[in-house]
Amino acid sequence: MQPYLIAPSILSADFARLGEDVANVISAGADVVHFDVMDNHYVPNLSFGAPICKALRDYGITAPIDVHLMVSPVDSMIEQFVQAGASMISFHPEASGHVDRSLQLIIDGGCQAGLVLNPATPLHVLEHVLHKLDYILLMSVNPGFGGQSFIPHTLTKIAQVKALVSASGRDIRIEVDGGINCDNIADIAAAGADMFVAGSAIFNQPNYSDVITTMRQKLSTI
Ligand code: DX5
Ligand code: ZN
């Protein structure tokens, strides 16, 4: 059984002192830095690009950086984030003209490859690329903003993806992103997820360690 991973979304961090805030959340017990890239084209919001990822590496952040690309087109961004020190890179199939090629770019860059499914994206997009995936990122909100509410139907979808992954016999992580907090993380894990993105639930609290410890306690009950 793979361990559960908690990945704070730095979309809700303090951008004016980003390096320090990311270092603090890792010290507080987070496993992975979730890095949301938004282009005001694929999604109706703008965040940050590869130079900020490189700046975090230069600042001394050594934790894995999980880059979630909400951009179209995607391929040039994949190449930039490989160079900037990303560890994991995922993108939305609707945003790429050639999903297999984009996945191969991530793999050739030495990063873990993931595909992101929006709440309304059907599972059949996974069918011919499962062998190239290290993880599947299921959106539990419509992408573009932090602080939205978890869409309950995601629990059904997580269970379906878990069954699909188990049947494949492959070692593919199931990451869930959007509206995760201390009250629903156990249900999300019980449905089959093993990696949890949380932005506002962590960064909007004064003590990151308290939140992450509570999340781990809830996960230990599964
Ligand atoms: C939404 C982003 C999420 C978001 C999560 O488009 O992909 O990562 O920042 O934030 P919360 O946990 O606040 O929903
Ligand atoms: Zn995200």
Side-chain angles (χ1 to χ4, degrees):
M1 178 65 188
Q2 303 177 86
Y4 292 128
L5 297 180
I6 295 177
S9 163
I10 61 170
L11 195 61
S12 293
D14 182 348
F15 291 174
R17 36 181 285 278
L18 188 61
E20 187 187 341
D21 214 11
V22 172
N24 285 343
V25 86
I26 295 298
S27 300
D31 300 296
V32 172
V33 177
H34 185 80
F35 194 105
D36 286 307
V37 186
M38 301 178 174
D39 67 349
N40 191 37
H41 172 67
Y42 178 65
V43 290
N45 199 2
L46 190 64
S47 62
F48 32 58
I52 308 295
C53 181
K54 181 174 184 305
L56 290 176
R57 287 296 188 218
D58 291 346
Y59 181 79
I61 302 298
T62 56
I65 297 182
D66 167 31
V67 175
H68 173 192
L69 294 177
M70 289 163 274
V71 303
S72 181
V74 299
D75 290 359
S76 63
M77 285 295 114
I78 289 170
E79 288 164 346
Q80 287 191 27
F81 275 97
V82 164
Q83 294 302 322
S87 315
M88 307 167 65
I89 302 178
S90 62
F91 64 92
H92 293 246
E94 300 90 340
S96 170
H98 306 279
V99 170
D100 180 86
R101 175 182 287 150
S102 300
L103 286 171
Q104 195 60 49
L105 274 177
I106 299 171
I107 295 164
D108 290 347
C111 294
Q112 291 185 38
L115 203 58
V116 194
L117 275 58
N118 284 330
T121 303
L123 301 190
H124 68 70
V125 299
L126 298 168
E127 190 178 352
H128 296 290
V129 293
L130 213 54
H131 59 290
K132 291 198 167 178
L133 298 181
D134 295 296
Y135 63 108
I136 297 164
L137 174 46
L138 291 178
M139 294 306 299
S140 38
V141 298
N142 288 293
F145 304 95
Q148 302 181 79
S149 297
F150 184 87
I151 297 173
H153 177 71
T154 311
L155 293 174
T156 306
K157 201 169 177 185
I158 295 167
Q160 289 171 349
V161 171
K162 175 70 178 175
L164 198 145
V165 167
S166 297
S168 79
R170 295 184 180 277
D171 188 18
I172 300 174
R173 229 175 230 296
I174 301 175
E175 179 178 14
V176 178
D177 183 3
I180 297 181
N181 54 47
C182 293
D183 294 330
N184 60 17
I185 194 167
D187 290 342
I188 297 163
D194 53 40
M195 182 166 175
F196 310 87
V197 177
S200 51
I202 295 174
F203 285 105
N204 290 1
Q205 295 300 320
N207 190 324
Y208 305 158
S209 176
D210 283 353
V211 182
I212 293 168
T213 301
T214 303
M215 286 179 165
R216 291 211 195 278
Q217 279 165 357
K218 302 275 184 175
L219 290 172
S220 72
T221 66
I222 300 307

